[in-house]
Amino acid sequence: MKRIFAQFTKELVQFQRDRLTLALAFILPFITLLIFGFAIRLESKNIPLIVQDFNRTNISNSYIERLYATNQFMPTQWSGNDPVRDAIDRGIAKAAVIIPPQFSRDVQAGKNTTLQVLIDGTDVNNARVIKNSIQRVTNFFMQEQGLITSNNSVTPRIRLWFNPGRLESLYIVPGVYAVVLWIFPSLLTAISMVREKEKGTILQLYASSISATELLLGKGLAYLVIAILQAFAVMGLGSLIFQVSLVGNSITLLIGTLLFLTDSVLFGLLFGVRSSNQNAAVQSVSVIGFVTSLLLSGFIYPISNIPFPLSLIPNIIPARYFIDITRDSFVRGIGWAGVWFDLIVLIVFGLVFFNITRRALGKMQLPY
């Protein structure tokens, strides 16, 4: 225990003296939280839409007002006679609605009429949103004009569970916690481990009586304390800025965060032991850790949408399980029944990372 505590104290002292490391530990996570929290938006808004009205009556104007009243479409100025060539092809608009000359006459006569809707399908998801929105507005307008009756035998009454206000921050911010707390603690730990090699101080440790387990525990505990401070800072600022409050069991969040941070530190130690310089360590942690936790953890894209065989990779990404814990704690509030499996998986990841790193470091040490 004395050797572990000595290594623990040494790491904290070295960390405090390095201003660049301090900035990497606390300033960059905060900046990442702000960028992801404000910049990532999954719901399409302010979609540029043009309307070519050949009817020019009160009824067609009413329909146009309905389109823009959704606050999803934005009127766009364009010049020319062909909306496809002059607007959509040039990227000025994402969709165009063309109202025929006989539109109001057919509506007043109760006849079927046809609108032409042209949508830029470059972004498939955005095109689907545009299509559904225009279809809903058209159905509402037809019902308002008496062309569709609402006397249906089945009337669905829909309620959004957990997030009735459709706040995207409730989905994005808890996921940002997982990405930030995975990349930065592991990055700091990997750099610290490689720095021992570059400065040559690792040889003193190899020749000393300290074992691989004691070295990993001493260095890992120091950066686990730093990671815990990062977690408090990031979650505190995230809750303050984005108004994301705790709704679930705080015990599951505390235990899950501690396990996840332990996995992050051990992940950094693993690549710190395997890398020969800081550039290699940073690139390894960034590519393997950051990219996978960002794209394959369910943070932005549902895991069910990932095609096989890439769909197997999320099963070995710790951030995936911590995202379940944070979203349960800040959105769903189910508690132990919803996250017990995620907690067990994080424990397994920690044991695997520790054993692999201990064996790799043990082979590098000199016998004594």
Side-chain angles (χ1 to χ4, degrees):
M1 289 301 298
K2 289 183 179 180
R3 290 192 290 266
I4 294 175
F5 183 74
Q7 183 68 26
F8 170 81
T9 306
K10 179 183 78 71
E11 293 297 333
L12 290 181
V13 171
Q14 289 181 343
F15 175 79
Q16 293 175 353
R17 291 175 179 176
D18 192 340
R19 294 183 178 180
L20 181 61
T21 305
L22 284 171
L24 180 63
F26 295 104
I27 297 179
L28 288 184
F30 176 62
I31 295 175
T32 305
L33 173 67
L34 292 179
I35 293 175
F36 282 5
F38 284 112
I40 296 179
R41 287 294 177 266
L42 302 179
E43 185 176 356
S44 299
K45 295 180 180 179
N46 298 323
I47 301 172
L49 171 72
I50 61 173
V51 178
Q52 192 175 31
D53 187 4
F54 289 108
N55 188 239
R56 297 185 181 276
T57 62
N58 292 332
I59 292 180
S60 64
N61 289 334
S62 176
Y63 177 73
I64 296 172
E65 290 175 357
R66 288 293 181 188
L67 285 174
Y68 292 124
T70 60
N71 294 325
Q72 197 165 26
F73 298 110
M74 176 180 63
T76 304
Q77 299 294 330
W78 62 288
S79 59
N81 296 320
D82 189 341
V84 176
R85 183 191 62 198
D86 301 324
I88 296 181
D89 285 356
R90 297 182 182 180
I92 299 175
K94 292 297 181 182
V97 176
I98 302 174
I99 301 176
Q102 71 280 9
F103 178 73
S104 61
R105 183 184 59 193
D106 292 342
V107 169
Q108 291 175 337
K111 298 180 180 179
N112 293 330
T113 186
T114 301
L115 295 171
Q116 186 176 14
V117 180
L118 308 171
I119 301 175
D120 183 355
T122 306
D123 185 340
V124 178
N125 183 63
N126 196 49
R128 188 183 301 111
V129 170
I130 295 173
K131 175 185 175 182
N132 294 336
S133 297
I134 294 178
Q135 185 64 57
R136 286 195 299 267
V137 171
T138 303
N139 291 338
F140 179 81
F141 177 79
M142 293 175 65
Q143 182 176 330
E144 187 181 46
Q145 296 297 321
L147 299 181
I148 298 179
T149 62
S150 58
N151 298 324
N152 297 326
S153 58
V154 179
T155 303
R157 298 188 179 274
I158 302 172
R159 178 181 177 183
L160 296 178
W161 211 246
F162 302 126
N163 187 8
R166 296 174 63 187
L167 298 176
E168 286 190 297
S169 58
L170 287 181
Y171 181 79
I172 296 296
V173 175
V176 175
Y177 293 156
V179 176
V180 170
L181 295 179
W182 180 253
I183 183 65
F184 288 103
S186 60
L187 195 60
L188 288 173
T189 311
I191 292 175
S192 172
M193 195 69 196
V194 174
R195 191 178 296 160
E196 300 275 8
K197 297 181 181 180
E198 293 182 340
K199 292 183 178 180
T201 55
I202 192 70
L203 296 177
Q204 299 176 2
L205 296 174
Y206 288 163
S208 67
S209 59
I210 190 172
S211 65
T213 301
E214 293 168 345
L215 174 60
L216 292 177
L217 287 177
K219 188 177 286 290
L221 285 174
Y223 280 92
L224 178 60
V225 171
I226 297 170
I228 292 174
L229 295 177
Q230 287 179 310
F232 275 110
V234 170
M235 290 186 179
L237 291 172
S239 299
L240 182 64
I241 296 173
F242 299 101
Q243 301 298 312
V244 179
S245 58
L246 186 67
V247 298
N249 192 337
S250 60
I251 303 299
T252 58
L253 178 63
L254 290 174
I255 295 176
T257 302
L258 183 61
L259 293 175
F260 182 70
L261 294 177
T262 302
D263 292 349
S264 178
V265 170
L266 291 174
F267 182 78
L269 286 174
L270 174 60
F271 282 94
V273 169
R274 292 291 187 179
S275 304
S276 58
N277 55 70
Q278 292 189 37
N279 289 333
V282 170
Q283 290 178 4
S284 300
V285 173
S286 299
V287 173
I288 299 178
F290 179 71
V291 174
T292 55
S293 63
L294 180 67
L295 300 178
L296 299 177
S297 64
F299 166 46
I300 301 177
Y301 311 108
I303 296 177
S304 58
N305 290 353
I306 302 175
F308 183 84
L310 288 178
S311 58
L312 300 176
I313 299 179
N315 295 319
I316 57 173
I317 298 178
R320 167 196 176 176
Y321 303 96
F322 187 62
I323 287 176
D324 290 340
I325 295 173
T326 55
R327 284 178 177 163
D328 177 77
S329 299
F330 291 101
V331 183
R332 293 189 297 267
I334 298 174
W336 292 101
V339 300
W340 66 269
F341 178 75
D342 302 296
L343 297 174
I344 293 176
V345 174
L346 291 179
I347 294 174
V348 173
F349 275 122
L351 294 175
V352 171
F353 289 152
F354 181 80
N355 282 311
I356 295 176
T357 307
R358 180 180 57 83
R359 291 182 181 181
L361 188 61
K363 294 179 181 180
M364 297 168 64
Q365 283 188 298
L366 298 175
Y368 60 89

